[in-house]
């Protein structure tokens, strides 16, 4: 605890950095790109709290008006069931209810939102000013309950409802293998190998965020199509097990996949992670909105949006500009960097990186082209 207090005192000694100014040229470069975010957890608020995605809010991180303001063309909405919150027999059924809710929101949007099932539909929607709802399932445990054959039937159903990636494990082991939180030495299970092959046939991308290091390496060896880390940062800059080491970044690049950098202060900054360790027990079992409210009341180290740019640039240096993307973790992570408080602030990323000398072609890759390339590769026979 004493070390945490020292970190907090040290953080208070440094003045806040000025906000990044977004110029008209920055905004044009941002709007000209197809902007895709790989991970958002607002589905949980929609399902449990009745949160209206179509209305503007002053709380949470994502809603349709702020998506439009931030120039976001496509969002991966995460479908998630906490394995400790409900009985295992309800995992798949609850996931299906959340997917139904996302389809319902698209139908109620008056043509402003549409569920997209592939990269071509994302591009077509963007050309018409329609925001795309992409669907990802966060955790292989949501294939349960059932035998292996029944779980594979659930996978087929999810793919048919528009699911385009599956996070193989969450903060607990799954039928696929281990997670970064528990069972860290557990790699890809025999069922996991079978299910991975089925995912590749169905065009469902394997997401290795949350996966244990052994699971990551086993999947890299077994995968015949590109994979994603949909919400992870660089371990070299912040030594968190959820982040990817340089060796992992190089392996993802060789695989043809991409690492989508998480915006969470917890993954971007070691000081912040250490200072919030005592909060982890308090937040156990809380909905994301409750976690966000709790963190907002605490005096925690400042993490500026430039920390995100540092992680993006590190991934791009190690893995190359074709292997980096955005994975905000909006409405899942309890604290965003200062200057990037919600989805409306996304043009700040473009402004920062243009100031650092990024070319427009490489910016377009980061903002969406790399994810779309992985999706297209998953769709290919």
């Amino acid at each position: 605890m004493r070390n945490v207090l020292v970190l907090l005192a040290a953080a208070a000694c440094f003045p806040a950095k000025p906000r990044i100014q977004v110029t008209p040229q920055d905004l044009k470069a941002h709007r000209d790109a197809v902007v895709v975010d790989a991970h958002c957890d607002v589905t949980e608020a929609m399902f449990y709290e009745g949160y209206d995605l179509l209305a503007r809010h002053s709380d949470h991180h994502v809603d349709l008006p702020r998506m439009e303001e931030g120039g976001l063309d496509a969002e991966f909405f995460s479908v998630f069931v906490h394995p400790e919150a409900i009985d295992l027999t309800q995992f798949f059924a609850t996931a299906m209810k959340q997917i139904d809710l996302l389809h319902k929101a698209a139908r109620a949007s008056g043509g402003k939102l549409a569920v997209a099932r592939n990269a071509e539909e994302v591009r077509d929607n963007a050309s018409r000013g329609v925001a795309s709802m992409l669907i990802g399932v966060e955790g292989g445990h949501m294939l349960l309950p059932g035998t292996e054959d029944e779980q594979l039937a659930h996978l087929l159903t999810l793919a048919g409802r528009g699911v385009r990636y599956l996070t193989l494990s969450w903060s607990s082991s799954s039928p696929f293998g281990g997670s970064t939180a528990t069972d860290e030495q557990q790699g890809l299970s025999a069922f996991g190998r079978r299910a991975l092959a089925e995912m590749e046939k169905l065009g469902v991308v394997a997401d290795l965020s949350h996966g244990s290091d052994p699971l990551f390496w086993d999947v890299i060896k077994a995968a015949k199509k590109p994979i994603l880390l949909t919400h992870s940062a660089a371990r070299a800059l912040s030594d968190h097990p959820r982040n990817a080491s340089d060796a992992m970044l190089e392996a993802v690049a060789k695989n043809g996949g991409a690492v989508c950098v998480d915006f969470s202060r917890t993954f971007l900054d070691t000081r912040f992670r250490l200072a919030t360790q005592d909060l982890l027990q308090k937040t156990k079992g809380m909905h994301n909105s409750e976690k966000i409210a709790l963190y907002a009341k605490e005096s925690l180290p400042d993490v500026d949006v430039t920390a995100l740019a540092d992680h993006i640039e590190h991934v791009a240096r190690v893995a190359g500009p074709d292997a980096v993307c955005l994975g905000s973790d909006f409405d899942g992570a309890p604290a965003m960097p200062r200057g990037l408080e919600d989805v409306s602030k996304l043009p700040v990323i473009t402004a920062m990186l243009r100031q650092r000398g990024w070319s427009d072609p490489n910016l377009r890759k980061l903002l969406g082209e790399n994810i779309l390339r992985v999706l297209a590769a998953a769709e290919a026979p």
Side-chain angles (χ1 to χ4, degrees):
M1 185 62 187
R2 181 177 180 277
N3 290 338
V4 171
L5 292 175
V6 170
L7 285 169
L8 290 172
C13 294
F14 296 95
K17 296 178 182 178
R19 289 183 177 270
I20 303 296
Q21 297 298 314
V22 180
T23 69
Q25 293 78 16
D26 297 331
L27 193 56
K28 182 180 186 303
H30 188 82
R31 298 283 180 182
D32 286 347
V34 179
V35 182
V36 185
D37 177 35
H39 192 84
C40 166
D41 285 297
V42 75
T43 313
E44 185 176 339
M46 295 168 64
F47 186 72
Y48 290 106
E49 304 167 28
Y51 182 80
D52 184 358
L53 181 69
L54 307 181
R56 178 178 288 276
H57 299 265
S58 59
D59 58 353
H60 293 76
H61 298 142
V62 173
D63 55 48
L64 179 58
R66 286 183 287 176
M67 287 171 62
E68 293 171 339
E69 187 177 332
L72 182 61
D73 295 297
E75 177 66 79
F76 262 106
F77 289 84
S78 174
V79 170
F80 172 69
V81 176
H82 198 299
E84 297 177 2
I86 63 173
D87 188 79
L88 177 150
T89 60
Q90 298 302 308
F91 286 177
F92 176 72
T94 304
M96 289 298 294
K97 290 177 183 177
Q98 292 185 19
I99 292 171
D100 289 342
L101 186 63
L102 292 172
H103 282 269
K104 181 180 178 180
R107 291 194 299 270
S109 71
K112 294 182 178 181
L113 279 173
V115 174
R117 296 171 180 269
N118 53 55
E120 183 180 355
E121 289 182 3
V122 171
R123 295 186 191 281
D124 180 62
N125 288 340
S127 71
R128 296 182 293 108
V130 176
S132 291
M133 301 180 79
L134 294 157
I135 303 175
V137 168
E138 189 173 13
H141 63 281
M142 276 177 281
L143 298 184
L144 295 167
T147 64
E148 290 190 1
D149 285 344
E150 288 169 334
Q151 290 179 66
L152 293 179
H154 290 163
L155 175 63
L156 177 63
T157 300
L158 291 172
R161 291 292 285 154
V163 171
R164 292 280 72 88
Y165 75 66
L166 174 64
T167 311
L168 300 191
S169 65
W170 182 68
S171 295
S172 57
S173 59
S174 80
F176 284 84
S179 82
T180 56
T182 59
D183 301 321
E184 293 191 4
Q185 299 309 308
Q186 186 179 344
L188 186 65
S189 68
F191 169 74
R193 293 179 186 278
R194 184 181 175 195
L196 177 63
E198 289 301 312
M199 289 169 60
E200 292 187 330
K201 291 177 185 176
L202 295 170
V204 177
V205 179
D207 170 27
L208 295 176
S209 286
H210 285 288
S212 67
D213 284 11
L215 178 64
F216 173 91
W217 290 112
D218 284 350
V219 172
I220 283 290
K221 291 175 184 176
K224 294 180 172 58
K225 290 188 176 182
I227 59 93
L228 285 171
L229 273 69
T230 64
H231 52 306
S232 298
R235 198 176 291 181
L237 301 188
S238 181
D239 190 18
H240 192 292
R242 275 277 310 282
N243 290 342
S245 69
D246 284 1
M248 290 175 171
L249 296 178
E250 292 170 352
V252 172
K254 187 176 180 180
N255 161 268
V259 176
C260 304
V261 181
D262 197 310
F263 298 2
S264 171
R265 293 187 183 200
T266 301
F267 305 121
L268 297 179
D269 189 277
T270 300
R271 297 174 309 132
F272 188 88
R273 176 172 62 84
L274 293 175
T276 55
Q277 285 179 334
D278 292 341
L279 290 175
L280 295 179
Q281 192 62 34
K282 291 182 182 179
T283 60
K284 190 173 182 180
M286 283 186 178
H287 291 312
N288 294 328
S289 58
E290 296 172 311
K291 294 178 186 179
I292 292 168
L294 176 62
Y295 272 60
K297 295 176 182 177
E298 301 290 324
S299 297
L300 297 169
D302 179 55
V303 180
D304 186 80
V305 69
T306 54
L308 173 63
D310 292 341
H311 279 260
I312 289 171
E313 292 207 292
H314 183 87
V315 174
R317 279 195 301 271
V318 175
D322 293 332
V324 63
C325 43
L326 302 179
S328 70
D329 215 354
F330 279 139
D331 284 305
M336 293 288 119
R338 181 170 49 82
L340 192 55
E341 290 79 10
D342 62 35
V343 69
S344 71
K345 307 298 193 303
L346 285 179
V348 167
I349 297 172
T350 299
M352 279 193 307
L353 295 175
R354 291 185 82 242
Q355 289 175 20
R356 294 186 180 204
W358 277 52
S359 68
D360 285 350
N362 281 344
L363 272 170
R364 287 192 291 271
K365 291 177 182 180
L366 165 76
L367 292 173
E369 293 300 327
N370 287 337
I371 296 182
L372 295 179
R373 174 183 54 76
V374 171
L375 289 181
E379 296 156 18

